[in-house]
């Protein structure tokens, strides 16, 4: 469990370092579009800049969430790991950690 939390924290850190811009890709599967829409809507309400990290990185984080949950991590522990991995000045990911986990469970984890 700690190993998975460390991997998730690393994935979050990689996401934070990236400066890729988000893209609008209508060719994505519906579940990926729904996940991104859900996360980005929450981010807009929270004032989070997560969209600036790019769709692929945000989707990657969602997939890491699914892997953690599949390996037995509790959703609350995954949320906490994301927040721990986002302790910088701009908490863009941590601000929407709950939405990332919930949206991944709803849209991504069920499709894999």
């Amino acid at each position: 469990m700690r190993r998975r939390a460390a991997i998730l924290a690393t994935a979050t850190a990689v996401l934070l370092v990236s400066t890729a811009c988000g893209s609008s890709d209508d060719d994505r599967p519906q579940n990926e579009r729904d996940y991104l829409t859900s996360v980005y809507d929450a981010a807009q309400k929270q004032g989070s800049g997560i969209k600036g990290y790019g769709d692929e990185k945000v989707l990657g984080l969602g997939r890491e969430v699914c892997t953690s949950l599949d390996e037995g991590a509790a959703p609350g522990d995954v949320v906490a790991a994301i927040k721990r991995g986002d302790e910088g000045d701009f908490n863009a990911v941590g601000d929407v950690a709950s939405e990332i986990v919930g949206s991944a469970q709803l849209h991504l984890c069920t499709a894999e």
Side-chain angles (χ1 to χ4, degrees), residues 26-83:
D26 291 337
D27 293 334
R28 293 188 187 285
Q30 185 65 47
N31 67 314
E32 290 182 1
R33 290 194 312 253
D34 291 344
Y35 167 77
L36 290 170
T37 297
S38 182
V39 171
Y40 293 156
D41 285 352
Q44 185 176 10
K45 291 175 187 171
Q46 292 286 334
S48 167
I50 193 172
K51 189 169 185 173
Y53 296 132
D55 293 349
E56 289 306 316
K57 299 230 183 262
V58 175
L59 280 166
L61 184 55
R63 290 184 187 107
E64 282 292 322
V65 166
C66 294
T67 299
S68 295
L69 296 173
D70 286 346
E71 292 179 353
D77 292 339
V78 178
V79 169
I82 291 171
K83 288 183 177 186

Side-chain angles (χ1 to χ4, degrees), residues 5 11 14 19 25 39 51 53 74 76 90 92 101:
V14 169
T19 58
D25 189 353
V39 171
K51 189 169 185 173
Y53 296 132
F90 299 104
V101 173

